[in-house]
Amino acid sequence: NKAQQHAANNLEKGSTKISTSLDSGKGMKGVTRAFERTFGRGSATPENMARVASDLSGMAAALRDTGAGAIPANGMTTNQINSVYGGDHTGTLAAVPRQGPSQVIINTSHVNFRNTSRLSWAAGHETAHAVHGYIDVMVNGYKGYKFGSPEQIESFNNFPPPLRLTNPDHLMDFVQ
C-alpha cells in the first residue's frame, strides 16, 4: 500500500504539472523541457502532453481505488508465480497476467520487494498495463525497461519518441 500511494502521489503531481502548464501557460518552458527529455525531442505537443496527463491521472486513480471494481494487487512468492503461470519468474518484481481477471502480481520473494522506491515504480508501471493496456514493446530485440538487464536498459534508452508516450517505464520516468 505504501508503494502504491507513493506511485499515485507522483503520478498525480506529474499530471497536475502538465495540466496546469497547458491551462495557464505557467511553467510551460520547464514542463516542455522535462517532457521532451523523457519522451523525445519534438514530443511536447499539446495533444501529447494532454494525453500523458490523462494517462497519469488514470493510473493514479486506479492505484487509489479501493472499491469493488478496483484492480487488486496480490502478493505471491516466486514459487507460487512459477506454479500458477509457468516459467521462471525469479527476476520479475511485478506483472499483470495476460489471462484471467485483471490484477497486479507482486513477487514477495524478489530482492526489491522491500525497496519502496523500486516497488512504487513497479506498481505504477504495472498499472499502465492494467488500466491502459500498454504493452512492453521490444526495441533492438529486447523489451525496454529502465531497471532491467543491460540489453533492456539499452532498449529503454533507444525507444523512438512515439513509442515512449505509451511505454510504462517512460511514463514512470517522467513522474520520478
Side-chain angles (χ1 to χ4, degrees):
N1 186 51
K2 185 177 178 179
Q4 281 184 233
Q5 297 312 311
H6 185 259
N9 287 339
N10 287 342
L11 291 160
E12 287 167 346
K13 287 177 189 173
S15 176
T16 299
K17 190 177 287 190
I18 294 170
S19 296
T20 299
S21 292
L22 287 172
D23 291 344
S24 69
K26 184 179 178 186
M28 182 59 89
K29 189 175 184 177
V31 171
T32 298
R33 222 179 359 254
F35 195 91
E36 291 194 350
R37 190 172 38 251
T38 302
F39 299 108
R41 195 166 139 210
S43 64
T45 66
E47 296 80 17
N48 286 345
M49 292 174 80
R51 178 181 176 187
V52 167
S54 176
D55 285 354
L56 300 176
S57 179
M59 291 162 63
L63 286 165
R64 295 213 190 275
D65 188 355
T66 59
I71 299 167
N74 295 307
M76 298 172 77
T77 65
T78 299
N79 289 339
Q80 290 170 322
I81 296 169
N82 292 347
S83 175
V84 172
Y85 298 102
D88 179 10
H89 297 278
T90 304
T92 301
L93 175 57
V96 173
R98 290 189 180 113
Q99 324 84 357
S102 184
Q103 62 180 318
V104 175
I105 303 295
I106 306 296
N107 186 344
T108 59
S109 304
H110 194 277
V111 66
N112 284 313
F113 176 67
R114 301 235 183 266
N115 180 330
T116 302
S117 175
R118 199 59 63 89
L119 194 55
S120 171
W121 182 284
H125 173 109
E126 297 305 329
T127 301
H129 292 305
V131 172
H132 300 301
Y134 292 157
I135 60 170
D136 293 319
V137 177
M138 294 181 71
V139 173
N140 299 327
Y142 293 92
K143 289 181 180 180
Y145 296 116
K146 182 166 182 151
F147 300 112
S149 68
E151 296 85 5
Q152 291 169 330
I153 293 168
E154 182 179 342
S155 176
F156 169 82
N157 290 330
N158 289 307
F159 260 56
L163 291 178
R164 290 179 181 204
L165 294 167
T166 58
N167 176 267
D169 269 7
H170 282 91
L171 292 169
M172 292 308 297
D173 202 30
F174 180 75
V175 301
Q176 293 296 323

